[in-house]
Amino acid sequence: MNHKTFQILPLLVLLAAPQVLWGQGRTELRNICHVKGQEENTLRGLGLVVGLNGTGAAGDLQTMRALSSAMEIMGSPVSTTGRADAESLEELKKIKNAAMVYVTATVPATGARRGDKLDCFVSAINGKSLKGGRLAFATLQGPNTQDHQVYALAQGQLVVDDDDQPMVARIHGGCQMQQDVQTEFEKDGFVTVVLDQNHADFVVAMAVGDQIKEMYRNQFFQPQAEQEDEWLASMVQVKNASNIRIKIPQLYQNDPVGFVSQLMEVQVYNVEPEARVVVNPRAESIVISGDVGVGDVIVTHRNLTIEANQGLTAEFRKIDPNSYAEGGSPSAKLDSLVQALGDLKVPAADIIEIIQGIERNGKLHGKLIIE
């Protein structure tokens, strides 16, 4: 029986080179984590858009109430009684140039101060299009639904970026902060670093914790203090797969910012997470880390069959389905299978389905991520 070894197809699959090589590479801590408390916050609220060219929400009760309230606040109530009753709202029923919208703005991780201006994004709740409209007003509250404090006000001319999505728009600098939003990163003398989702792993967390302990041992340990191991354990605590709690040393008690800046520059090793393969069915892309393995497997696709070949160097070959022998190489790599399928002109969408099938059968030695 003749076996054909398939060659690499360079453009089919992206082989993700490890960010750092285990035991050899290194990176700064700031590249794989952030400090707890230094996260973005979203402000949100409802607003009223006016100036639409007949594309608003005619006859919508909520829009009419919002418009009535706005007119009352500006000293021109639609009702002489000052109340938006059914009779007064009837006067606004034919207005087609206004719409209710949902408004959001993102406060950066470093916080924001009163008077700062942020971009805001507007999504229509009703109406047909926001083109040409202007946000008359919107009061924005914080992410905590129990906190009714107004943190920012928003207004300005809407810009619709996508003509196919006329119900979504933005306002450059349209949100002005009315309250300070500060992000505290120190609590009870400790800071916590949080590994990003692509590096959150128990092995990675322990490796990072050990490297931070090494920094403490070299720079802050005092021989007259407690036993070294006990002291380090109290100063650097790996809480779980993503959180590492670190005590600010005495030298930096009055300068926590200086300590964090130094901490973020620590060179860390062994930060490669588990083997992964990321597929995007819409874009038909496949990204494989070099260490994703495949167990004993036969892949049948239309008129061909692919199997893992035993040996020190695993190969995937086209075979006669009736001549398959038990066995295979647990060291076979997924990228070899993908390259072989690509050499056979198997469409990327079919390859993604094959990978999903291998994962469902428990033969994929890595984490499958579907975007």
Side-chain angles (χ1 to χ4, degrees), residues 112-116 176-181:
R113 298 295 179 263
R114 180 183 175 89
D116 288 353
Q176 186 170 34
M177 298 298 299
Q178 301 297 307
Q179 300 289 339
D180 291 349
V181 175

Side-chain angles (χ1 to χ4, degrees), residues 55-191:
T55 58
D60 179 72
L61 182 59
Q62 294 299 327
T63 302
M64 289 187 293
R65 283 178 175 171
L67 186 57
S68 176
S69 297
M71 294 174 68
E72 182 178 344
I73 291 173
M74 291 182 283
S76 182
V78 296
S79 172
T80 56
T81 63
R83 297 181 59 188
D85 52 27
E87 183 178 350
S88 62
L89 291 177
E90 188 69 22
E91 301 177 29
L92 305 176
K93 190 173 183 179
K94 296 181 180 180
I95 293 179
K96 300 180 180 180
N97 301 329
M100 287 284 292
V101 292
Y102 181 72
V103 184
T104 61
T106 300
V107 178
T110 52
R113 298 295 179 263
R114 180 183 175 89
D116 288 353
K117 291 187 176 182
L118 308 173
D119 291 351
C120 58
F121 298 87
V122 180
S123 301
I125 296 176
N126 49 35
K128 300 177 181 178
S129 173
L130 294 178
K131 287 184 179 180
R134 183 178 182 86
L135 179 64
F137 64 86
T139 56
L140 306 187
Q141 299 174 334
N144 183 357
T145 57
Q146 304 302 316
D147 181 7
H148 300 296
Q149 182 176 4
V150 174
Y151 285 91
L153 300 176
Q155 65 85 34
Q157 186 66 39
L158 302 180
V159 177
V160 175
D161 292 322
D162 187 353
D163 290 339
D164 294 329
Q165 295 288 340
M167 303 293 282
V168 179
R170 63 179 176 84
I171 308 174
H172 178 67
C175 171
Q176 186 170 34
M177 298 298 299
Q178 301 297 307
Q179 300 289 339
D180 291 349
V181 175
Q182 300 184 17
T183 54
E184 302 295 339
F185 62 89
E186 181 269 340
K187 184 177 181 181
D188 301 328
F190 283 83
V191 296

Side-chain angles (χ1 to χ4, degrees), residues 11 84 95 137 228 244 254 260 278 306 311:
L11 297 180
I95 293 179
F137 64 86
E228 182 177 283
I244 305 168
N254 297 323
V260 171
V278 181
I306 306 292

